[in-house]
């Protein structure tokens, strides 16, 4: 029974990691930039949803849609203002820039919404179902369902829409995409918008619904998840997220205390040593 | 504009290019040696902190600026140096021996981290070192018998005949350590290994085809870098006086990276500028905070936000850092009526993709 309980909480936490990791992977695949601020973008998304739903009292669905829209715009704006000048600069510079951006976002959130934890009003609230010894929270179901729905939507988007296919083309070969008439820069902006939207969804769906300016730190674990899954593979991001979430729960229960915080990183280091390209490799060897 | 007429091969690798440089560095040396006469205890302490940051910066600059390997985990080496030094002092080791052992131990750990890191580059390496930092943090918090866990660990006084923890003595100690580190690093950079590091940074493929052993160079760079940072950690332990795991977090690593980026990647001058910047910025922010209206001064975490903002602005507008800016200003005066803006026009750069390897 305990195992099933751990599985449930591991999967629901893993879905949050997976959603943030999806944002990392989207941006990395398309622009080859690493966005370390993804966790903090998630935090901002959660706070904007909090503003619409709790402070302005909008119904959940409208507040959620409004937050997603605002985050999409903010994502595109970030790309235009901060990342566009960095095209062609080394990875390290972009990495540092997004780390700096994360610090700035955290300060802005602390100033705007205060540093005490807030609870988002969610329609599923604290609903709990019991099956014998196992309890399933409404938030667990919401995050798993939300992740499945988003994955389905993303699949349809990348498979069937013009924009989705243009994004795939831009991420496979920028120059070739440019030659066939895809506005690569605008596509990059849209990729950032999409990643910010995913982050906002993760922020709203995260189990517990508690938000404070420091929740963005789970972005680092989500990054570990993205690498475990293979940076550059969308299904890999979700699977990596699930692995990290599960390993965290089980390590916290069966290994010594304090190990649950490190397990994501141990998993990451082990993966980097055994198979540095991740579970679903997106890198190829180049012959010189 | 000064033209140097070279009459011997030694001039090519001379640390000082001409007598003008010798003169100005002499003045600087005199100024820092005589500083304790004119400064009060607080400012001396701040300057000692700047020197400590600069020593750690030398280590990180060798790795990031010269070998091209990014590390987000240097706070871990700082912590290892600090804890190792304090623990050895508590065991009754004499001060210089403990400091040397802490430096050496950090270097060994650096080599141990460097070997698995050989298989990674760029972003993967940054994340692996970050993972290393988190693991070291957890070890520091949970290995209570050695590190004292969250309760922390007192650092004994540094004594060597005289009390080295007194402000003036500590100032000279840090100055001496910085001087030795700087000379060692500069000499190392003009040795074959140092040149090999720069070659690895610029292109691994071409370095390898010139006969450079990449694995050896990278591992050595990691080890030396960690050793310098460990030395800084040992001194830092005396500076803060009481060690706790929360003094060495990701924020510390970022601060060190901020140091090398703001100072200017790939220059030893940059280390000093960056260290001054990092060391004095908190004081500057505190001053502004006092003067600012309460709406601004009560923002929680303002300092981290300002650090982040400065990092972002430097990366976008002046990737060469403070030292790059200074070189531009100097060139303007050297060529005064003939200076052309386009000299420093940024060239179009192309990303070297990491997806194909």
């Amino acid at each position: 029974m305990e195992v099933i309980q751990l599985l449930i909480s591991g999967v629901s936490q893993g879905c949050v990691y997976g959603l943030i990791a999806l944002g990392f992977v989207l941006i990395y695949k398309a622009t080859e930039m690493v966005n370390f601020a993804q966790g903090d973008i998630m935090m901002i998304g959660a706070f904007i949803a909090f503003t619409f739903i709790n402070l302005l009292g909008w119904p959940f669905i409208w507040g959620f849609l409004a937050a997603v829209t605002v985050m999409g715009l903010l994502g595109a704006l970030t790309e235009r203002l901060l990342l566009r000048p960095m095209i062609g600069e080394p990875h390290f510079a972009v990495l540092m820039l997004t780390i700096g951006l994360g610090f700035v976002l955290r300060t802005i959130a602390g100033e705007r919404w205060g540093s005490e934890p807030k609870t988002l009003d969610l329609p599923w609230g604290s609903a709990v179902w019991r099956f014998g010894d196992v309890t399933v929270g409404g938030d667990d179901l919401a995050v798993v369902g939300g992740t499945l729905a988003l994955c389905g939507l993303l699949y349809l988007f990348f498979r069937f829409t013009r924009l989705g296919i243009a994004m795939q083309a831009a991420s496979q070969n920028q120059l070739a995409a440019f030659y066939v008439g895809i506005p690569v820069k605008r596509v990059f902006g849209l990729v950032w918008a999409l990643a910010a939207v995913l982050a906002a969804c993760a922020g709203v769906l995260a189990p517990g619904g508690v938000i404070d300016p420091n929740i963005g730190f789970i972005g680092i674990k989500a990054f570990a998840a993205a690498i475990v899954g293979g940076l550059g593979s969308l299904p890999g991001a979700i699977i990596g997220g699930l692995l990290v979430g599960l390993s965290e729960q089980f390590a916290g229960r069966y290994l010594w205390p304090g190990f649950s915080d490190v397990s994501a990183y141990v998993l990451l280091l082990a993966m980097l040593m055994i198979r540095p390209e991740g579970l679903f490799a997106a890198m190829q060897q180049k012959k010189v | 504009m000064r033209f140097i007429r070279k009459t011997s091969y030694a001039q090519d690798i001379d640390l000082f290019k001409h007598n003008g440089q010798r003169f100005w560095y002499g003045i600087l040396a005199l100024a820092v040696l005589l500083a304790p006469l004119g400064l009060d205890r607080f400012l001396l302490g701040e300057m000692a902190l700047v020197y400590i940051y600069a020593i750690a910066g030398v280590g990180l600059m060798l790795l990031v600026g010269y070998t091209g390997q990014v590390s987000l985990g240097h706070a871990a080496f700082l912590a290892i140096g600090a804890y190792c030094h304090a623990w050895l002092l508590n065991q009754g080791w004499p001060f210089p021996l403990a400091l040397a052992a802490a430096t050496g131990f950090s270097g060994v750990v650096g080599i141990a981290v460097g070997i698995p890191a050989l298989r990674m580059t760029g972003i993967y390496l940054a994340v692996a070192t970050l993972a290393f930092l988190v693991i070291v943090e957890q070890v520091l918090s949970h290995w209570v018998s050695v590190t004292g866990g969250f309760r922390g660990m007192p650092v004994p006084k540094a004594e060597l005949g005289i009390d080295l923890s007194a402000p003036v003595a500590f100032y000279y100690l840090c100055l001496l350590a910085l001087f030795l580190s700087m000379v060692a690093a500069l000499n190392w950079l003009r040795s074959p290994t140092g040149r090999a590091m720069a070659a690895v940074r610029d292109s691994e493929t071409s370095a390898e085809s010139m006969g450079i052993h990449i694995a050896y160079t990278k591992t050595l760079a990691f080890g030396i870098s960690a050793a310098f940072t460990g030395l800084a950690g040992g001194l830092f332990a005396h500076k803060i006086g009481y060690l706790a795991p929360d003094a060495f977090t990701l924020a510390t690593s970022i601060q060190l990276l901020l140091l090398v980026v703001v100072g200017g990647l790939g220059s030893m001058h940059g280390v000093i500028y960056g260290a001054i910047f990092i060391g004095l910025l908190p004081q500057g922010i505190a001053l502004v905070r006092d003067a600012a209206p309460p709406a601004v001064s009560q923002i929680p975490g303002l300092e981290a936000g300002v650090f982040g903002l400065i990092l972002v602005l430097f990366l976008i507008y002046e990737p060469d850092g403070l030292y790059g800016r200074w070189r531009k200003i100097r060139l303007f005066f050297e060529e005064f009526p003939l200076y052309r803006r386009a000299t420093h026009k940024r060239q179009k750069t192309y990303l070297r993709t990491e997806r194909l390897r």
Side-chain angles (χ1 to χ4, degrees), chain B residues 190-245:
Chain B
R190 44 185 197 153
S191 73
T193 329
R195 303 287 197 227
M197 282 169 24
V200 168
R201 170 192 63 189
D202 291 338
S203 162
E204 283 192 19
T205 313
S206 59
E208 204 166 12
S209 58
M210 302 275 280
I212 290 168
H213 196 310
I214 294 201
Y216 172 79
T217 310
K218 277 192 189 173
T219 316
L220 194 65
F222 247 99
I224 301 270
S225 171
F228 277 120
T229 315
L231 172 65
L235 294 171
F236 190 63
H238 288 296
K239 177 72 192 150
I240 57 177
Y242 199 86
L243 296 177

Side-chain angles (χ1 to χ4, degrees), chain A residues 202-267:
Chain A
V204 173
L205 292 171
V210 177
I211 39 183
D212 70 75
N214 288 326
I215 53 170
F217 280 117
I218 72 163
I220 300 176
K221 281 184 192 164
F223 192 72
I227 288 195
V228 168
L231 204 55
S233 150
L234 294 179
I238 293 285
I239 301 214
L242 290 177
L243 274 179
V244 168
L246 287 172
S247 73
E248 212 173 47
Q249 295 294 329
F250 281 92
R253 177 69 188 79
Y254 293 111
L255 299 172
W256 58 92
F259 198 74
S260 107
D261 288 332
V262 229
S263 65
Y265 304 100
V266 174
L267 193 66

Side-chain angles (χ1 to χ4, degrees), chain A residues 28-29 32 88-89 91-93 96-97 99 104 107 111 171 220 223 262 265 268 273 276 283-286, chain B residues 70 119 124 127-128 130 134-135 138 254 257 265 299 301 304-305 309 311 315 349 351 353-355 357:
Chain A
Y28 183 78
K29 228 168 125 66
E32 210 175 337
E89 299 287 324
H91 294 92
F92 154 70
M96 295 291 295
L97 184 125
I99 288 177
V104 174
T107 307
E111 196 274 325
S171 76
I220 300 176
F223 192 72
V262 229
Y265 304 100
L268 168 71
M273 280 174 205
M283 269 199 300
Q284 295 138 29
Q285 291 285 325
K286 184 172 76 172
Chain B
V70 184
R119 297 184 57 182
Y124 288 86
V127 175
L130 173 65
V134 175
I135 291 167
Q138 292 294 326
I254 308 266
L257 275 174
L265 279 175
I299 300 173
L309 191 64
L311 186 60
L315 282 166
T349 50
L351 181 83
T353 181
E354 281 186 3
R355 273 185 248 171
R357 268 194 286 153

Side-chain angles (χ1 to χ4, degrees), chain B residues 60 87 150 158 164 177 195 200 236 239-240 249 312 340-341:
Chain B
L60 195 58
W87 188 77
F150 287 112
L164 283 175
R195 303 287 197 227
V200 168
F236 190 63
K239 177 72 192 150
I240 57 177
T249 56
V312 170
R340 284 183 302 176
R341 264 175 168 278

